[in-house]
Amino acid sequence: MNAETALDDAYFDYCPWDFVGRASAGQRAAQDAHQRRLAEAGARLGPRCYVSPAAGVFTDTLRLGTDSYIAGHAYVTGEVTAGDDCTVNPYATVRGRITLGDGVRIGAHSSLLGFNHGFAPDRPVHRQPLTSKGITVGDDVWIGSHVVVLDGVTIGDHCVVGAGAVVTKDLAPWTVAAGNPARPLRDRRAQGGPRRDRPASGDLPGGLSDGLSGNRPGRPSGDLGDAVVRFADRARAQAADLVARCWNPDTGRYADRPGTHATVRAHCDAVEIADLLLGSPPEQFAADEHAARLRALQDPGSGLVPEFAPDGGAGVLPDPAADGWIDDGTAEYHVLAVGYALDLLGSRLAQPVHVVRRMTVSQLLARLKSLPWRTRTWSAGAWVDCWATGAHRNLELGVEDGEPGTLEALFGWLTTRVDPWTGMWGTAGSPAAGRLQLVNGYYRLTRGSYAQFGLDVPYAERVVDTVLAHGRDQRWFAAGRENACNVLDVAHPLWLAGRRGGHRTAEVRAWAEEQLTRALGRWRDGAGFGFGPAGEGGGGPGREPGLQGTEMWLAIVWLLADLVGVADRLAYRPRGVHRPEPARSPGFATPG
């Protein structure tokens, strides 16, 4: 028996996991031809995928990640996307709008039905309209045989669904469920009892434990609202002192925390904190003096603001790139920080952001294409944030772009390149790398573009799905591992994408309540908030309390409190870089 006949073709219909290792050359050629036909119909299949010719695959959209397969006699229709290492076993049905994470196993004879019929009495069922909310399955999920999952359900990461279950409601991550209708049996991580996901009241630091016990996810009690009031009162009483501790009268500048060098951002953070908690500029200067100092920092050639030199003198920017742009991440962020600090002081930049004003449409599109979307999505999003904010500032000054239509070109490019399955830009991550770059890049990109200009983000429900999945990644969000950047970059997209709809609101509220409870306990009397443990690549100023951590966490607390429903009790609302509202009305017009 030769290699060509060692295994019958039908074998792989039922055992597709063996195809990569055991198929003959002829069988591989036949599978390649079958995949080409699928690709001609719009499918996108990753490396080492297998789709049985005996499967009924009639999709409008089909995307399979690496090492995924569809076995024989499966029935797959609609808009189906799957991550890496996903399996649709024999006789399974996957129909409608279905999104699978990485490592999903769908057992034989199971059905994921991402659509529904109406059944009103005024017409026959076969004439009723179809509806589709879609089904979302997280990473590392095992759906046993003969399971039925109904439209609108979300199954969280790491769930196991027992054979024969009928899933009619969302399952939280790590749930082991079974039955008709499916009911949670236990937490997959539990060893002899239910797992406690949130700290008991006695675990909360900072004197905030009283009044927090008994809160249930999705059902904020008055106790949490009371804790928010106590926090805001404490922060307000200490605001002037915590800003003053970071002021160096010898240099006449602010540092993030005592003993560190002065930075432009520290001055801007001091302005934001004082505005937020005191409604006035930091007491070291009058508002017009603060504004004059910040306005004087702008480089006349580029319109950017360099960082102070190590000796405390004026900073110098690097040479511009071929398109005239100056690649300096700190100076790029200063477009945000200085511009919004000046807003709070009743002032504006002294001159336009020239590197934005001079960029042509072709230069902008070339730059967007060259950004590191696949490897460093955060950096790509940060660049968009800077450029769009520079355009906003130029409009504010009444300055036209060098070539008309550049701002429209930005939004056109972004809208046509967003991934409809994640709602984001860049690669969708992997089990090993997670979604950190993807989600953090999304926050920076949308902050400066869609959010700042008052435009709805595309695929808002998919954004919520992606961000919630990331927000449950224990590498970044286990107690004690969170930092301000990572929590902000989940809280803001959940607020932005979810504010006009009701998609998964209970899960969003539960996540926000847990993070809010933890955040309130991080406050250090007389010093404020620390940024938190270093992020990916070592970013951030660290755990020690400082101006950056305080400014960011104050904004995060507001966002989380608003998601929970108690933001009104803080009696403050961010107005600077991390403001929830747009900086201008849609249409790109200069405000009157």
Side-chain angles (χ1 to χ4, degrees):
M1 186 177 291
N2 60 37
E4 288 287 325
T5 60
L7 290 170
D8 186 85
D9 291 346
Y11 173 84
F12 297 114
D13 294 337
Y14 297 94
C15 303
W17 49 85
D18 279 342
F19 184 84
V20 170
R22 303 184 65 181
S24 68
Q27 289 164 334
R28 294 177 192 278
Q31 176 64 197
D32 289 344
H34 182 50
Q35 292 194 19
R36 283 196 296 272
R37 289 191 292 272
L38 293 171
E40 289 169 0
R44 291 170 56 185
L45 310 181
R48 300 184 301 280
C49 283
Y50 174 82
V51 179
S52 169
V57 179
F58 309 108
T59 51
D60 299 315
T61 303
L62 176 64
R63 294 178 60 180
L64 296 182
T66 303
D67 296 312
S68 294
Y69 60 76
I70 298 174
H73 309 289
Y75 182 26
V76 182
T77 69
E79 301 174 2
V80 178
T81 182
D84 299 339
D85 298 298
C86 288
T87 69
V88 179
N89 277 306
Y91 299 100
T93 297
V94 179
R95 302 190 64 197
R97 217 151 40 89
I98 309 294
T99 302
L100 309 178
D102 296 323
V104 176
R105 295 290 185 268
I106 300 174
H109 299 278
S110 287
S111 297
L112 276 64
L113 305 175
F115 68 97
N116 210 344
H117 274 283
F119 52 91
D122 61 337
R123 70 187 77 177
V125 169
H126 74 278
R127 296 188 183 279
Q128 297 282 346
L130 290 177
T131 60
S132 178
K133 298 178 181 178
I135 292 171
T136 300
V137 180
D139 296 338
D140 180 35
V141 172
W142 177 17
I143 297 173
S145 296
H146 294 278
V147 169
V148 177
V149 182
L150 300 185
D151 187 35
V153 165
T154 294
I155 298 177
D157 295 346
H158 315 295
C159 285
V160 175
V161 182
V166 179
V167 186
T168 62
K169 297 181 180 180
D170 292 355
L171 297 178
W174 297 101
T175 299
V176 178
N180 181 6
R183 294 180 176 85
L185 303 180
R186 63 182 178 89
D187 189 303
R188 184 176 156 194
R189 298 163 293 187
Q191 302 294 325
R195 183 178 183 273
R196 190 181 70 187
D197 284 325
R198 34 185 325 259
S201 60
D203 297 334
L204 295 170
L208 292 168
S209 60
D210 55 317
L212 287 179
S213 59
N215 290 325
R216 296 174 57 196
R219 299 178 182 272
S221 72
D223 294 336
L224 183 54
D226 292 342
V228 162
V229 171
R230 290 195 298 274
F231 159 75
D233 288 345
R234 176 189 293 174
R236 211 168 277 115
Q238 299 174 19
D241 290 340
L242 71 86
V243 170
R245 75 187 278 269
C246 299
W247 163 253
N248 186 334
D250 295 332
T251 63
R253 287 177 174 162
Y254 295 89
D256 182 68
R257 54 198 183 279
T260 61
H261 58 81
T263 64
V264 173
R265 178 167 183 165
H267 192 163
C268 298
D269 287 337
V271 171
E272 293 227 18
I273 293 166
D275 178 84
L276 201 64
L277 297 177
L278 303 173
S280 63
E283 63 185 16
Q284 286 71 35
F285 301 112
D288 56 352
E289 177 62 20
H290 279 292
R293 287 174 173 243
L294 291 173
R295 283 164 56 90
L297 300 176
Q298 209 175 359
D299 174 62
S302 66
L304 299 176
V305 177
E307 186 56 276
F308 298 133
D311 62 2
V316 178
L317 291 169
D319 292 332
D323 57 12
W325 192 264
I326 296 174
D327 289 300
D328 184 306
T330 301
E332 290 174 2
Y333 189 82
H334 289 164
V335 175
L336 284 60
V338 174
Y340 277 102
L342 288 170
D343 281 350
L344 300 177
L345 295 166
S347 184
R348 293 181 176 178
L349 292 174
Q351 56 188 305
V353 183
H354 297 300
V355 290
V356 171
R357 181 178 60 83
R358 295 171 186 148
M359 188 169 277
T360 65
V361 170
S362 60
Q363 288 175 330
L364 172 62
L365 296 179
R367 168 66 69 149
L368 289 169
K369 183 178 179 180
S370 71
L371 293 173
W373 298 105
R374 299 187 64 83
T375 56
R376 291 182 292 115
T377 314
W378 185 90
S379 297
W383 190 89
V384 172
D385 191 0
C386 169
W387 193 94
T389 302
H392 158 58
R393 293 301 170 194
N394 291 347
L395 286 170
E396 185 179 60
L397 292 171
V399 176
E400 295 292 335
D401 294 333
E403 181 177 359
T406 51
L407 192 57
E408 290 80 0
L410 171 73
F411 282 99
W413 193 94
L414 293 174
T415 302
T416 55
R417 277 140 178 101
V418 63
D419 183 344
W421 302 109
T422 63
M424 302 198 171
W425 293 264
T427 56
S430 68
R435 300 176 177 88
L436 184 68
Q437 279 280 329
L438 182 72
V439 172
N440 288 13
Y442 179 87
Y443 163 69
R444 284 300 305 271
L445 183 151
T446 55
R447 192 223 70 85
S449 54
Y450 293 89
Q452 188 164 230
F453 283 85
L455 302 174
D456 290 339
V457 295
Y459 306 107
E461 290 189 357
R462 301 291 77 77
V463 172
V464 172
D465 294 339
T466 303
V467 173
L468 276 177
H470 170 60
R472 293 175 177 131
D473 192 327
Q474 296 300 293
R475 289 172 290 184
W476 318 113
F477 298 101
R481 293 186 180 181
E482 313 97 323
N483 66 39
C485 181
N486 293 344
V487 177
L488 172 67
D489 294 358
V490 170
H492 186 273
L494 290 178
W495 189 92
L496 181 67
R499 71 189 192 279
R500 287 189 173 89
H503 186 57
R504 301 177 70 177
T505 52
E507 293 173 78
V508 170
R509 202 159 48 237
W511 187 90
E513 183 179 356
E514 180 175 13
Q515 291 296 328
L516 177 59
T517 300
R518 293 179 186 175
L520 297 180
R522 292 191 181 96
W523 180 267
R524 295 267 295 276
D525 283 336
F529 285 114
F531 176 86
E536 187 178 52
R543 297 176 182 271
E544 289 302 311
L547 295 178
Q548 180 179 338
T550 301
E551 184 274 321
M552 292 184 71
W553 279 110
L554 286 172
I556 292 164
V557 165
W558 186 91
L559 287 165
L560 295 172
D562 200 54
L563 291 170
V564 171
V566 296
D568 59 319
R569 304 198 65 182
L570 283 168
Y572 72 73
R573 189 182 188 94
R575 301 197 303 138
V577 172
H578 301 116
R579 59 185 290 154
E581 289 83 15
R584 61 176 57 249
S585 300
F588 309 155
T590 303

